[in-house]
Amino acid sequence: MPHLSPFQLLPFHIVERIVDHLVASNRLLAEGITADSAEHKILLLPLLWVCRNFRDVSCLKFYRSNTVKVKDDDYEKDVGQYWWSKRLKKFYPSMHHLAREIHILLSKSGFYTGKTLEAFSRAPFDGCAFPQARKLIFTFYPYREPDYVAPEAAEVDANIRAFVQRIKQMAPMVCEIEVVGTSNPVTLPADTQHMNGFLSQVFQLATRVVYKVSEHNVPLELPAVSISHLVHIDMDVSVDTIVAHTQTTPQAQQNATMHLARQNAMTLQSLSIGTYTWENISGLVKGANGDDVAYPQLRVLKLKSGWGNYGHRRPVITNVVPFPQLCHLHIAGPFPFGDDILFRGNADTLKCLDIILDRDMANMLKRHSVFTSISHPRLRCVKIELPLGYVQDDFATDETRLQYLLEIAPAATMREIKGLNSCTWFHSSLPVFGDYTNLQVLVLPDTRLTLWDAITLIELLPLLSEIQNPSPVVGPLPAEVTTDTLPEYVVSKYVSLSKSFRCWRITYEDKWVSRGDTISCVLLLALVCPNFDHAITSSSNSDLFMAHIKKAISTDMFLPYASSLQRLLPSKLILEISDVKTI
């Protein structure tokens, strides 16, 4: 009976750390080799033979994404993926079988003339080359041969059909298709017709479709075809450059997006739409003939648009509940409708809400009484962004402004409020939090808190375990307190402040705030919160931040409390016992 490798007895996360160490070592030994290069992957091939655990970790880290570059005319000269695939086949014949994701770069000229198909007919892409691939990414780039002659339409269609059939053979298990658009502003003959035909055929291969466009890419025209099996649609056609470079309009793109959504209304579970205008947003819930559309299985809805569309927000009359099972609602931009249609019938299912609360939306929510003290019992995560000058005239006092923000899902356990940096009334309104004692995580991504603000919040919220905000500061000291006596004052006045509070996550380090002031604030709070053991910064210098905390603990100000404050440090920075002095 073969002996079990000792490495197989190690926990998975330990094997991951060993592999990470070997990656770093290889990067240092082989100058010029990057973590994503073909040479780097080949240097790590020996890890596959150590044991099954090493093979699983290595595959997970380095072969999840397999980029297949097809550049038509100079495909043989490309020393990138083609060379890598041949080397892998030599060293480990089934290496390309490990790919989970394939990124295919295509030029329209080669795509139409059949050169792309010819390239994909060569080794190592013969047969079922990628049996484990689950995702295909298509990116079109603007290369075109100088002597390009457009083939006949029938020939183009035949080449496209053959290419799609080849993809089905190479990667039969694909369930997600992503199209990243095209960056060629000069359309080829019959371009729209052929690309629509390609998209229509490719979309049939998957149940998840992602279609994106950046500022540097001009989107394809979306196909208005009958596809009714999709469970995930992510369409982003919000870039306005489409008007300058194509024959279509933002409205036409939006109509095609709405059509695709309606066609899959019965199966969709996740829908994300980014558009340049909300002018035709009613097409999401109303068909071309005015018939009502419902999405009985939709769990996630994300809508994104610019801010120049206020005039298009109109009520929609419908006789059905459009989103009865909605769990996550994310709106980036103005609220697209003039009424509460997105909130109808899902009060018992909605779990997460992410909105930008402008004046019109705030008035709509109040007018329709969307949120009450007993509504939305499962809504636990609420993220609200406030535009500049948030509804300043709609409330009589500062307290009622904050009160209204917290009344949106009063039972929420995680709440994020962005935009309070422009609200001078926030700090004086903190006592309002005392009515919402379910709160466990508070995120204020652009609001600086003082030590005294944090203490007030922790006193008011007995379950609060985490605060996230920019660099905190100690703030003004009481008249009878000096910097040297501050730790003693905090310990005597706020002893055992909270056993629930565990983490202060600093979202970014403000260059205008002294790091020493921030660290003092963290350590002072740790003195009175016995379970506070995580001070985390999202800065790239997190190790340096921890080193500064260690240095601060060693100063005369905090040295008497060093033994308890060491819980904030990672194990590699724990002070030596000889360095710790206790009273």
Side-chain angles (χ1 to χ4, degrees):
M1 182 176 180
H3 292 289
L4 189 67
S5 168
F7 284 114
Q8 289 187 262
L9 302 177
L10 293 175
F12 196 79
H13 70 281
I14 298 297
V15 177
E16 282 190 301
R17 294 189 65 177
I18 295 173
V19 172
D20 287 338
H21 175 73
L22 294 173
V23 171
S25 300
N26 271 330
R27 197 176 304 165
L28 293 173
L29 292 173
E31 185 176 356
I33 294 179
T34 64
D36 295 325
S37 68
E39 297 94 332
H40 187 236
K41 296 177 188 293
I42 289 176
L43 283 174
L44 295 166
L45 284 178
L47 294 175
L48 297 170
W49 285 281
V50 174
C51 70
R52 182 181 301 171
N53 284 356
F54 267 71
R55 182 181 184 278
D56 291 345
V57 170
S58 300
C59 293
L60 181 68
K61 285 184 174 294
F62 307 114
Y63 303 106
R64 181 182 293 275
S65 178
N66 186 359
T67 301
V68 181
K69 295 182 180 179
V70 181
K71 293 191 175 180
D72 306 321
D73 67 322
D74 60 344
Y75 182 72
E76 294 287 359
K77 301 176 186 177
D78 182 14
V79 297
Q81 202 62 30
Y82 185 62
W83 172 84
W84 173 53
S85 297
K86 289 196 298 185
R87 290 288 298 275
L88 289 182
K89 200 164 187 180
K90 176 181 177 182
F91 281 95
Y92 192 76
S94 64
M95 185 60 63
H96 53 287
H97 290 181
L98 303 173
R100 299 293 193 274
E101 179 180 301
I102 308 172
H103 189 172
I104 304 175
L105 289 81
L106 301 170
S107 73
K108 287 185 181 178
S109 59
F111 188 55
Y112 291 166
T113 59
K115 281 194 173 183
T116 298
L117 176 62
E118 181 184 350
F120 270 83
S121 298
R122 306 170 188 167
F125 308 123
D126 50 339
C128 183
F130 305 102
Q132 298 189 48
R134 297 294 185 269
K135 182 177 181 179
L136 281 176
I137 304 175
F138 292 97
T139 299
F140 288 85
Y141 68 99
Y143 174 79
R144 179 159 40 160
E145 298 177 16
D147 56 347
Y148 172 76
V149 177
E152 296 294 331
E155 181 182 349
V156 173
D157 290 338
N159 288 333
I160 289 176
R161 285 195 301 270
F163 176 72
V164 173
Q165 187 63 31
R166 186 74 197 91
I167 291 293
K168 291 173 65 176
Q169 295 172 355
M170 288 169 47
M173 300 303 292
V174 164
C175 59
E176 181 172 353
I177 299 290
E178 179 172 334
V179 180
V180 188
T182 175
S183 51
N184 188 357
V186 181
T187 57
L188 302 177
D191 181 55
T192 298
Q193 174 187 346
H194 295 317
M195 294 311 299
N196 281 353
F198 168 68
L199 291 178
S200 300
Q201 294 182 55
V202 167
F203 285 178
Q204 296 286 357
L205 301 180
T207 58
R208 301 172 62 86
V209 170
V210 180
Y211 180 91
K212 294 183 177 180
V213 56
S214 70
E215 294 178 359
H216 306 291
N217 290 333
V218 179
L220 309 169
E221 288 193 19
L222 294 176
V225 296
S226 296
I227 303 174
S228 58
H229 67 286
L230 300 179
V231 299
H232 172 86
I233 295 178
D234 184 350
M235 294 289 173
D236 189 350
V237 290
S238 57
V239 180
D240 58 352
T241 53
I242 184 174
V243 179
H245 295 301
T246 69
Q247 302 301 314
T248 187
T249 63
Q251 290 78 12
Q253 288 284 342
Q254 189 183 62
N255 285 338
T257 302
M258 301 304 168
H259 173 82
L260 189 62
R262 293 195 304 269
Q263 289 286 329
N264 296 272
M266 299 305 295
T267 58
L268 272 179
Q269 298 178 17
S270 174
L271 176 61
S272 179
I273 297 177
T275 69
Y276 184 61
T277 173
W278 284 142
E279 184 173 352
N280 301 322
I281 187 63
S282 60
L284 186 63
V285 294
K286 282 287 188 180
N289 299 324
D291 50 322
D292 297 330
V293 180
Y295 299 78
Q297 298 189 57
L298 193 69
R299 302 291 190 273
V300 179
L301 179 61
K302 298 181 180 180
L303 303 175
K304 181 181 74 171
S305 181
W307 279 93
N309 305 300
Y310 288 101
H312 301 308
R313 297 194 284 190
R314 294 182 290 269
V316 177
I317 299 175
T318 177
N319 296 319
V320 300
V321 176
F323 310 102
Q325 298 298 320
L326 194 63
C327 297
H328 300 266
L329 177 60
H330 181 165
I331 300 176
F335 193 74
F337 296 98
D339 55 16
D340 62 338
I341 189 169
L342 296 182
F343 296 98
R344 294 176 193 166
N346 50 43
D348 293 332
T349 62
L350 196 62
K351 297 179 181 178
C352 182
L353 179 66
D354 189 344
I355 58 175
I356 299 179
L357 189 67
D358 61 12
R359 182 192 302 272
D360 290 344
M361 185 178 183
N363 291 335
M364 182 276 293
L365 293 177
K366 288 191 294 184
R367 184 169 62 253
H368 292 277
S369 301
V370 173
F371 295 102
T372 67
S373 59
I374 59 174
S375 69
H376 300 84
R378 302 182 68 185
L379 184 52
R380 292 291 182 266
C381 177
V382 178
K383 299 181 181 180
I384 299 176
E385 182 175 345
L386 306 178
L388 187 65
Y390 159 70
V391 288
Q392 292 288 341
D393 302 328
D394 293 352
F395 300 95
T397 65
D398 296 341
E399 289 76 11
T400 53
R401 290 191 182 99
L402 184 58
Q403 184 82 30
Y404 179 71
L405 291 178
L406 298 178
E407 283 177 352
I408 296 179
T413 58
M414 185 275 183
R415 190 179 294 273
E416 177 178 330
I417 306 177
K418 185 178 181 180
L420 289 173
N421 59 328
S422 62
C423 301
T424 57
W425 43 264
F426 174 71
H427 297 275
S428 61
S429 305
L430 288 180
V432 175
F433 277 95
D435 295 330
Y436 304 91
T437 55
N438 288 329
L439 198 59
Q440 298 176 20
V441 178
L442 178 62
V443 183
L444 304 170
D446 54 5
T447 304
R448 185 180 302 121
L449 297 177
T450 67
L451 171 66
W452 318 111
D453 290 334
I455 288 176
T456 299
L457 288 170
I458 294 172
E459 285 181 322
L460 294 170
L461 304 169
L463 300 180
L464 188 66
S465 63
E466 181 175 338
I467 293 177
Q468 300 180 24
N469 75 301
S471 303
V473 295
V474 173
L477 300 183
E480 70 278 11
V481 179
T482 65
T483 302
D484 293 337
T485 62
L486 183 56
E488 182 180 353
Y489 170 81
V490 170
V491 170
S492 61
K493 185 173 178 62
Y494 303 104
V495 59
S496 297
L497 177 64
S498 170
K499 293 184 178 180
S500 300
F501 191 76
R502 299 184 61 89
C503 178
W504 201 336
R505 192 179 300 271
I506 300 170
T507 53
Y508 67 88
E509 293 189 66
D510 193 332
K511 64 180 180 179
W512 302 109
V513 175
S514 165
R515 178 176 283 169
D517 198 8
T518 296
I519 290 175
S520 294
C521 185
V522 169
L523 293 178
L524 288 166
L525 192 60
L527 292 177
V528 291
C529 296
N531 294 322
F532 177 22
D533 56 5
H534 284 80
I536 304 172
T537 175
S538 57
S539 167
S540 57
N541 296 322
S542 56
D543 289 342
L544 182 61
F545 184 78
M546 286 292 108
H548 279 283
I549 286 184
K550 175 182 177 179
K551 184 177 180 180
I553 294 175
S554 303
T555 61
D556 292 340
M557 182 177 179
F558 293 105
L559 192 56
Y561 311 95
S563 58
S564 65
L565 292 177
Q566 285 188 91
R567 68 182 186 275
L568 293 170
L569 298 174
S571 57
K572 62 182 178 180
L573 290 180
I574 292 293
L575 296 174
E576 297 295 335
I577 297 299
S578 58
D579 294 334
V580 179
K581 298 179 182 178
T582 58
I583 297 179

